[in-house]
Amino acid sequence: MTEFEKIKTYYSVFDEQHRLDAAEGRLEYDICKGIILQYLNKSDRILDLGGGAGKYSIELAKQGYDVTRAFYFPQQVNEHNLSEVFETGRFHNNANVAFQEGYYPESKEIERLFSEHNFSQILLRSIRSFGYNKEEKLYELAEKDISLFNKIIELINKTSTNPAIIETCGHALYIGRKCQ
């Protein structure tokens, strides 16, 4: 089985299309959408690298942003090479490491990758920080005590740029700008 076939097989049994509607994904979506929007100008071109089923990309495109999405997803099969992603928005997995769900690079590796492709970093953070795998309980708390929920979200945001948090708490969010 090729690496591309492994990716297609994984996503054929994993419901990426609806993940961001569940409690875990909803917290991710709510936090990310707010963060992303504060850094965007209407004239910006957006590269959504690893954009899953496209929930962010589709929403941003509906709002008028120029969005390019690069992701392996069975319903949108499209192969290109990684260096082209940064130049053209097209993607092909020709890395010498296998696709592996759950592989999260260290912060320095993420920073190096984008820097090597002429991006200046604006933000690198954990999406859910210490709230990772506790999303359902957090939304239950929101229904009971919105003030306490908001304080927890504030603390999540304060701790989210710590490399130890980024590297142990699920998905990361990188926001950068392509240097001229």
Side-chain angles (χ1 to χ4, degrees), residues 15-176:
D15 187 10
E16 179 67 15
Q17 184 70 30
H18 298 100
R19 182 181 70 80
L20 294 175
D21 297 327
E24 164 195 318
R26 193 171 117 213
L27 183 62
E28 174 183 325
Y29 184 74
D30 290 347
I31 288 174
C32 283
K33 187 177 173 192
I35 293 167
I36 291 166
L37 288 173
Q38 70 181 315
Y39 289 102
L40 291 178
N41 298 311
K42 283 293 186 184
S43 62
D44 288 344
R45 291 180 55 218
I46 301 163
L47 171 61
D48 186 358
L49 181 58
K55 186 161 179 138
Y56 298 103
S57 298
I58 292 166
E59 179 61 31
L60 291 168
K62 284 180 182 176
Q63 293 182 33
Y65 291 99
D66 180 3
V67 180
T68 299
R69 199 168 109 253
F71 194 76
Y72 286 126
F73 197 64
Q75 290 83 355
Q76 300 140 341
V77 176
N78 192 1
E79 294 187 49
H80 303 280
N81 80 34
L82 183 58
S83 63
E84 283 184 284
V85 167
F86 295 98
E87 301 302 321
T88 67
R90 293 176 289 173
F91 183 70
H92 170 69
N93 183 17
N94 62 356
N96 60 3
V97 294
F99 170 77
Q100 174 183 338
E101 199 288 318
Y103 169 71
Y104 299 100
E106 293 182 359
S107 300
K108 290 184 186 298
E109 187 178 351
I110 296 169
E111 292 166 342
R112 181 183 46 77
L113 173 67
F114 281 90
S115 176
E116 286 174 357
H117 288 87
N118 208 25
F119 280 80
S120 63
Q121 180 176 315
I122 295 171
L123 177 69
L124 175 60
R125 64 163 282 164
S126 168
I127 294 172
R128 298 176 299 247
S129 183
F130 61 84
Y132 180 62
N133 284 335
K134 298 170 189 70
E135 295 86 357
E136 193 168 327
K137 293 291 183 192
L138 288 171
Y139 277 109
E140 288 174 12
L141 175 64
E143 292 176 13
K144 295 175 184 171
D145 187 341
I146 193 66
S147 177
L148 182 56
F149 171 81
N150 288 334
K151 289 181 190 295
I152 291 171
I153 296 301
E154 184 179 318
L155 189 55
I156 284 173
N157 288 329
K158 283 183 180 178
T159 62
S160 66
T161 58
N162 181 308
I165 298 289
I166 294 169
E167 296 163 13
T168 60
C169 293
H171 293 91
L173 174 66
Y174 177 93
I175 295 178

